[in-house]
């Protein structure tokens, strides 16, 4: 039984190194796209719009944009722009709105972009896996063609769209050479991340019978923590939550006990403070997984350690390195519970309204 | 036993009408504060900073600011500004950073404000319940003095700090008269919201044995949904989640079944789309609570209905009207499970690092 469940998801996770490489190279070929939609210093408001996993990608993309370009960017659920525009954006500002959608057919992002296309100072763009999609017709789009998937849950599509967008951001940043180099390193290392991620996830899932798993991270890593949380929720229907790492201490930590797995995606910038939170959760009885650039004495306490690499590099470029472990963690939890990872309950591949 | 558990929380929820009234009147007396920190059109970046419940307040405050003032505002966890500044803000922009903290002593917000106080174009401000606190010494602060509480969990403090800030925002908006009038109405009606909220929450909690509760809302209401979620989590340690209403359809809804309570805080702007989500969750077997300005044929399907009032008014001013029901929902769930609402597991009143 287990042999035939989740074949698409399993294969697609393992295919991400090639998808990342192609997305990186495609973005390099589309330098004029980066200059037009990301490199215009006159733009006052840049929006990354998505739903579900695509919103979580948008969070990581917007954090990268702010950090590398020193200009404002906002990640928004597409439905916010579509339905409550006044509360979330400034209509009068010179704006680039970038839709994020695997299929390019998700009703909300297509309708959201369509709803602002007549605004005088707004330009539309996108990132998708399908060049011929409705979204790509509304706004010139970056394409990750090897990101296309059979499974309902997004894995390599998500990782590769983030890397494609980060490469485009790197192209127009002041530290272009440095960021492109670290993204190239990330892409090269993802094969190893996939191999290690599978083993570590299998070990973590069988370590205890968790009845809840919490994913923590900050900034660019927060988008990845949210995504890890959603992968597990979709595939296994278990209790999963995600929070900013230090935010978790302000109330939510009341749920932690010995049946809890806490996965902390540590940023180099905030390593000391985040590891302190991780240790506190272990004191409450949790099984603690630490993902960080490199192991050290300060991570020896962790029940499991996931290396994200790029030592000396940026937290933004490192974010995608944590994904294979998180995706496999969801996958193996689903199998352990007898769920089919390819076909989550209540869900479909493209969400239409 | 039940008679003596949670006395502080219970009393403090019921005291919110007076706390709201005082916060509203105090903000009216501090018009120069509003003009200085909210009314300066030269400011490029306005930040609302908090942790836990105070971050959720910040979300509602920032949504109100954007909608009523048509200028950019961002809600951030204090720890983001403190630890990963490059990813979240623009150092070079003319900025007002407003700390949000009941005690004014939460380490993260105090350290976060302290970390930016030397930046040339930055000014600091705050909103708190304690005029003499460390935060109030760092930045001129609005004070909700009747918001001060004995319970670890925030109830009237949160509601009143939001109303104080919204009143200050209203004072400097183009539609000042209109927004002040609706806030005045909100304050008057909160007594009724408290009375109804208690009855409705008690009924909902005893309707079924839920093993999970989901809180949905958008924009200003999303901050309130997050807060309702945290109240329940802190007081009862049960499985609770919150999402943007339409976001919930993109994956997370896979957890919904007949043991799930889904509470939807409907905005007038997006009523039709949000009620459609609510009906879908009922189709999956969930018990559905709808909170909206007024009941109608379109809400007849709901298992319970919570009136938020202010018909014809704005969704921003209406946000706080949903709080009493949510706070009592957490309170009665805690009692049902034998937990003491005043003393959540693992938590303290002020979070120090």
């Amino acid at each position: 039984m287990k042999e035939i469940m989740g074949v698409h998801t399993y294969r697609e996770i393992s295919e991400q190194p090639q998808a990342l490489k192609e997305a990186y190279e495609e973005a390099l070929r589309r330098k004029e796209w980066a200059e037009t939609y990301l490199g215009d210093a006159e733009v006052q408001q840049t929006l990354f719009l998505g739903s579900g996993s695509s919103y979580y990608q948008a969070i990581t993309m917007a954090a990268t944009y702010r950090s590398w370009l020193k200009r404002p960017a906002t990640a928004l659920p597409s439905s916010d722009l579509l339905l409550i525009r006044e509360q979330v954006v400034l209509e009068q500002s010179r704006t680039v709105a970038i839709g994020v959608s695997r299929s390019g057919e998700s009703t909300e992002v297509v309708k959201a972009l369509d709803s602002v296309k007549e605004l005088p100072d707004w330009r539309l763009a996108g990132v998708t896996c399908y060049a011929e999609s409705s979204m790509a017709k509304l706004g010139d789009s970056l394409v990750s063609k090897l990101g296309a998937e059979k499974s309902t849950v997004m894995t390599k599509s998500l990782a590769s769209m983030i890397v494609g967008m980060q490469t485009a951001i790197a192209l127009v940043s002041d530290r272009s050479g440095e960021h492109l180099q670290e993204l190239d390193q990330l892409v090269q290392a993802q094969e190893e991340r996939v191999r290690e991620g599978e083993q570590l996830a299998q070990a973590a899932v069988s370590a205890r019978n968790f009845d809840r798993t919490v994913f923590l991270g900050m900034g660019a890593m927060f988008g990845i923590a949210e995504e890890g949380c959603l992968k597990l929720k979709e595939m296994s229907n278990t209790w999963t939550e995600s929070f900013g790492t230090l935010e978790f201490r302000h109330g939510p930590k009341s749920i932690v006990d010995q049946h809890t797995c806490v996965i902390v995606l540590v940023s180099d910038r905030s390593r000391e403070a985040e590891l302190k939170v991780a240790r506190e959760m272990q004191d409450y009885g949790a099984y603690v997984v630490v993902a960080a650039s490199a192991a050290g004495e300060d991570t020896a306490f962790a029940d499991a350690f996931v290396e994200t690499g790029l030592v000396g590099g940026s937290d933004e470029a490192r974010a995608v390195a944590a994904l294979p472990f998180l995706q496999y963690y969801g996958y193996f939890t689903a199998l352990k519970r007898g769920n089919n990872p390819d076909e989550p309950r209540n869900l479909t591949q493209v969400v239409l309204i």
Side-chain angles (χ1 to χ4, degrees), chain A residues 162 249 286:
Chain A
I162 294 175
R249 298 182 69 243

Side-chain angles (χ1 to χ4, degrees), chain A residues 81-267:
Chain A
L81 180 63
L82 179 61
L83 297 171
I84 57 164
R85 194 197 289 178
E86 300 85 343
Q87 285 191 15
V88 292
V89 299
L90 305 172
E91 271 185 35
Q92 310 298 327
S93 291
R94 191 184 296 257
T95 301
V96 171
I98 303 174
V100 184
S101 171
R102 172 174 61 178
S103 65
E105 302 296 346
S106 175
T107 307
E108 281 152 67
V109 75
V110 173
K111 280 195 175 177
L113 290 175
D114 196 64
S115 75
V116 293
K117 72 176 182 206
E118 310 289 350
L119 291 176
D121 282 331
W122 286 51
R123 276 181 301 158
L124 310 185
V127 56
T128 179
C129 298
Y130 292 89
E132 302 301 316
S133 60
S134 305
M135 191 184 77
K137 281 170 194 150
L138 270 168
D140 189 6
S141 294
L142 264 189
V143 178
S144 164
K145 71 171 191 252
L146 296 187
E149 290 165 330
K150 288 226 168 66
S151 175
T152 296
V153 299
M154 293 174 67
T155 55
K156 67 173 175 167
S157 60
L158 180 126
S160 63
M161 284 192 276
I162 294 175
V163 167
M165 186 59 69
Q166 289 183 321
T167 305
I169 295 169
L171 280 169
V172 296
S173 83
D174 290 342
R175 298 172 157 201
S176 185
E178 188 181 314
H179 291 315
L180 289 174
Q181 198 187 352
E182 61 180 354
L183 287 166
D184 185 42
Q185 272 177 42
L186 169 91
V187 170
Q188 305 292 338
Q190 201 74 351
E191 192 87 48
E192 182 63 18
R193 299 284 96 87
V194 165
R195 205 165 30 238
E196 291 169 356
E198 179 172 358
Q199 290 164 6
L200 290 164
Q202 214 160 4
V205 168
S206 41
R208 291 191 203 166
N209 285 320
F210 303 119
D211 61 17
R212 64 202 76 164
T213 299
V214 176
F215 299 79
L216 305 178
M218 297 177 72
M221 286 293 182
F222 178 62
I224 306 299
E226 290 259 72
E227 171 61 9
C229 178
L230 181 58
K231 285 287 91 46
L232 179 61
K233 196 187 308 289
E234 289 178 329
M235 291 198 262
S236 73
N237 308 133
T238 54
W239 182 356
T240 68
E241 306 201 33
S242 61
F243 293 92
T245 308
L246 273 77
E247 275 296 288
F248 189 58
R249 298 182 69 243
H250 292 266
K253 70 173 182 178
S254 58
I255 60 167
V256 173
D257 63 18
Q258 69 276 21
H259 307 294
T260 311
C261 178
V262 177
I263 299 174
V264 189
L265 308 181
V266 175
S267 296

Side-chain angles (χ1 to χ4, degrees), chain A residues 218 245-246 264-279 290-301 305-306 308-309 311 315 318:
Chain A
M218 297 177 72
T245 308
L246 273 77
V264 189
L265 308 181
V266 175
S267 296
D268 269 9
R269 278 188 190 86
S270 40
R271 179 169 175 130
E272 189 184 340
E274 292 190 276
L275 289 176
K276 196 170 165 191
V277 174
R279 281 195 304 272
V290 167
S293 56
E297 278 179 32
D298 57 350
T299 61
F301 74 93
F305 182 81
V306 177
T308 49
V311 174
D315 291 320
R318 187 180 296 114

